[in-house]
């Protein structure tokens, strides 16, 4: 059985199934997003440039095995490539054009908590 707390291909699992009952992302994804939030904006072409195929495969395999990976020591381009690969493997669309008006309405909510609740709906 595949464990959804890693970066392995979610085998057709929708994003909601990966998030679990608490609605939080798996720990490695949260950690990776934190790193990209801190260091990504200063990295030119972070989502445009390609990471080395061997390094990408090795990192994904380590995460799949549940190895203790020091993500902060990894290059931002590599981390962005892992995230992009993970998001591509999620079935369906993350953002559906039919929901555009709902997203815009949610972004007009006065507080972050209200926006998050509206987006969950």
């Amino acid at each position: 059985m595949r464990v959804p707390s890693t970066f392995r291909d979610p085998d057709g699992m929708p994003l909601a199934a990966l998030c679990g009952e608490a609605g939080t992302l798996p720990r490695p994804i949260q950690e990776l997003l934190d790193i990209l939030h801190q260091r990504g904006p200063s990295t030119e072409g972070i989502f445009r440039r390609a990471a080395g195929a061997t390094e990408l495969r090795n990192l994904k395999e380590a995460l799949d095995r549940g190895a203790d990976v020091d993500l902060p020591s990894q290059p931002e381009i590599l981390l962005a490539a892992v995230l992009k690969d993970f998001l591509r493997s999620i079935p369906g669309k993350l953002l559906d054009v039919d929901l555009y008006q709902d997203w815009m309405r949610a972004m007009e909510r006065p507080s972050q908590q209200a926006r998050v609740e509206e987006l969950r709906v």
Side-chain angles (χ1 to χ4, degrees), residues 15-111:
L15 185 58
L18 294 173
C19 292
E21 291 179 25
T24 60
L25 292 169
R27 186 203 51 78
I29 297 173
Q30 289 180 3
E31 184 178 350
L32 187 139
L33 289 172
D34 287 341
I35 295 165
L36 291 176
H37 178 73
Q38 293 169 13
R39 299 186 339 220
S42 62
T43 305
E44 184 176 343
I46 187 162
F47 290 108
R48 190 181 69 241
R49 293 173 40 201
T54 301
E55 292 83 6
L56 178 60
R57 184 180 65 247
N58 290 342
L59 180 55
K60 286 174 48 182
E61 287 175 359
L63 290 167
D64 286 347
R65 287 191 315 271
D68 187 20
V69 177
D70 183 18
L71 289 176
S73 71
Q74 303 298 318
E76 293 83 8
I77 299 298
L78 179 58
L79 296 177
V82 171
L83 179 62
K84 290 189 305 186
D85 188 65
F86 177 78
L87 292 174
R88 282 186 197 115
S89 70
I90 295 172
K93 299 175 184 176
L94 291 178
L95 303 174
D96 190 337
V97 71
D98 295 336
L99 298 174
Y100 178 78
Q101 292 301 324
D102 296 331
W103 299 329
M104 293 299 103
R105 193 170 31 260
M107 292 298 104
E108 294 171 357
R109 297 286 188 198
S111 70

